[in-house]
């Protein structure tokens, strides 16, 4: 079974985002970029399925600027077999990403597509769901466990009230949650090997997809600064203050 893993290049999760002076977005100049953490989990899961003999080939896909090649090389160093880069300038919205992934699914006929539940830059949490709608395949989102048995995939999902298990028929779409696994680090020999793994370069036009934005970002603002806290001497003073604020009776 072939597994497709879409990986997005995003601002590294350790970097504190800076909003551009004109409020048009986050400043990405000279900041560390990395693979979206949920996508690392997706790559790891695909590799584990290959190690179990379930997956036969892992194809990593990224849509974005040419530098997304680095992200794909990371996926290849972790254990993906080959990669596809769809080069697009500027932000590509989830609907356009999903349309491109749908076209790639038509060509590649995977048994499983494992995406991250969300990209930590835009926090959209839409692409997997849109891809499921476009392909008409079943979806198991926010997965904390994936078990493949023949043409069935059992996905344990992290939902508000606890865990829900769904059974999907392949081909299927799965999105990863944080507790699914702990991604491995690529070893130095594997980083070297990844340099010679195949990486195909495509454009949205190759797939007949228009990536023009459908949304306009009105403004981007930093969260309000938190007010400094105050120390209280004892619980009585705390309760008095809370009552004064109307928080306690
Ligand atoms: P989002 O819906 O934007 O929060 O993203 C959810 C998931 O879709 C990500 O974790 C990736 O697996 C995938 N994805 C979103 N955008 C891209 C992109 N530009 N290239 C590759 N994968 C993407």
């Amino acid at each position: 079974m072939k597994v497709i893993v879409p990986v997005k290049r995003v601002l590294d999760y350790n970097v504190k985002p800076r909003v551009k002076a004109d409020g048009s977005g986050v400043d990405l100049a000279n900041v560390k970029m990395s693979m979206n953490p949920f996508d690392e989990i997706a790559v790891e899961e695909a590799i584990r399925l290959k190690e179990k003999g379930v997956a036969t080939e892992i194809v990593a896909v990224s849509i974005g600027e040419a530098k997304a090649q680095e992200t794909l090389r990371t996926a290849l160093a972790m254990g993906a077999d080959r990669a596809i880069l769809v080069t697009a300038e500027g932000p590509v919205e989830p609907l356009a990403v999903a349309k491109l992934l749908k076209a790639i699914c038509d060509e590649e006929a995977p048994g499983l597509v494992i995406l991250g539940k969300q990209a930590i830059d835009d926090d959209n949490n839409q692409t997997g769901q849109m891809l499921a709608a476009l392909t008409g395949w079943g979806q198991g989102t926010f997965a904390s466990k994936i078990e493949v048995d023949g043409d069935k995939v059992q996905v344990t999902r992290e939902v508000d009230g606890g865990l829900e298990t769904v059974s999907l028929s392949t081909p299927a779409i799965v999105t990863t949650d944080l507790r699914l696994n702990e991604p491995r680090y690529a070893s130095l020999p594997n980083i070297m090997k990844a340099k010679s793994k195949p990486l195909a370069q495509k454009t949205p036009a190759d797939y007949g997809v228009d990536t023009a934005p459908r949304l306009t970002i009105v403004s981007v603002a930093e969260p309000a600064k938190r007010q400094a806290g105050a120390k209280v001497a004892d619980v009585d003073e705390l309760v008095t203050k809370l009552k004064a604020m109307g928080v306690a009776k």
Side-chain angles (χ1 to χ4, degrees):
M1 180 174 74
K2 192 188 284 186
V3 181
I4 290 186
V5 186
V7 293
K8 187 176 185 190
R9 181 174 184 264
V10 298
L11 188 69
D12 187 90
Y13 73 96
N14 282 310
V15 174
K16 187 177 179 296
R18 273 174 296 136
V19 172
K20 284 187 201 162
D22 63 0
S24 63
V26 170
D27 191 355
L28 297 179
N30 303 320
V31 289
K32 185 169 182 242
M33 304 288 283
S34 302
M35 187 189 298
N36 181 43
F38 292 106
D39 304 352
E40 284 185 343
I41 296 173
V43 175
E44 175 65 34
E45 197 62 19
I47 298 167
R48 291 188 189 187
L49 289 175
K50 195 169 172 201
E51 287 168 347
K52 279 188 207 153
V54 173
T56 48
E57 189 185 26
I58 303 168
V59 185
V61 178
S62 196
I63 294 129
E65 51 182 315
K67 282 189 180 159
Q69 264 194 48
E70 292 163 14
T71 314
L72 288 170
R73 290 285 171 211
T74 305
L76 293 170
M78 285 173 75
D81 296 292
R82 62 185 170 91
I84 302 172
L85 170 66
V86 185
T87 322
E89 289 305 322
V92 185
E93 290 171 0
L95 181 58
V97 173
K99 285 180 185 170
L100 287 165
L101 293 175
K102 156 81 167 70
I104 291 171
C105 286
D106 289 345
E107 259 183 32
E108 298 279 348
L112 209 53
V113 184
I114 311 179
L115 306 91
K117 76 165 177 183
Q118 73 193 59
I120 60 162
D121 50 1
D122 295 328
D123 277 344
N124 280 315
N125 182 358
Q126 295 173 355
T127 310
Q129 294 88 329
M130 286 177 170
L131 179 61
L134 293 173
T135 52
W137 298 348
Q139 59 177 312
T141 50
F142 313 139
S144 63
K145 193 171 170 198
I146 302 174
E147 282 173 303
V148 181
D149 184 10
D151 62 353
K152 294 274 179 244
V153 188
Q154 280 225 343
V155 179
T156 304
R157 310 184 51 232
E158 303 217 349
V159 292
D160 270 355
L163 298 174
E164 177 190 60
T165 304
V166 292
S167 176
L168 315 168
S169 297
T170 58
I173 314 283
V174 175
T175 73
T176 62
D177 214 324
L178 215 52
R179 276 167 284 274
L180 181 60
N181 62 47
E182 251 189 56
R184 69 195 62 191
Y185 289 104
S187 66
L188 192 58
N190 285 346
I191 293 173
M192 300 311 287
K193 262 194 244 162
K195 293 189 177 166
S196 54
K197 287 188 179 177
L199 191 156
Q201 301 232 22
K202 300 279 190 180
T203 65
D206 292 336
Y207 297 106
V209 173
D210 165 20
T211 57
R214 306 298 198 259
L215 303 172
T216 308
I217 294 177
V218 179
S219 72
V220 176
E222 299 213 355
K225 291 242 176 330
R226 284 179 65 177
Q227 305 256 321
K231 278 195 176 167
V232 288
D234 51 28
V235 174
D236 286 344
E237 188 187 342
L238 175 66
V239 172
T240 313
K241 280 199 181 237
L242 290 176
K243 279 184 181 165
M245 289 163 67
V247 181
K249 285 189 188 150

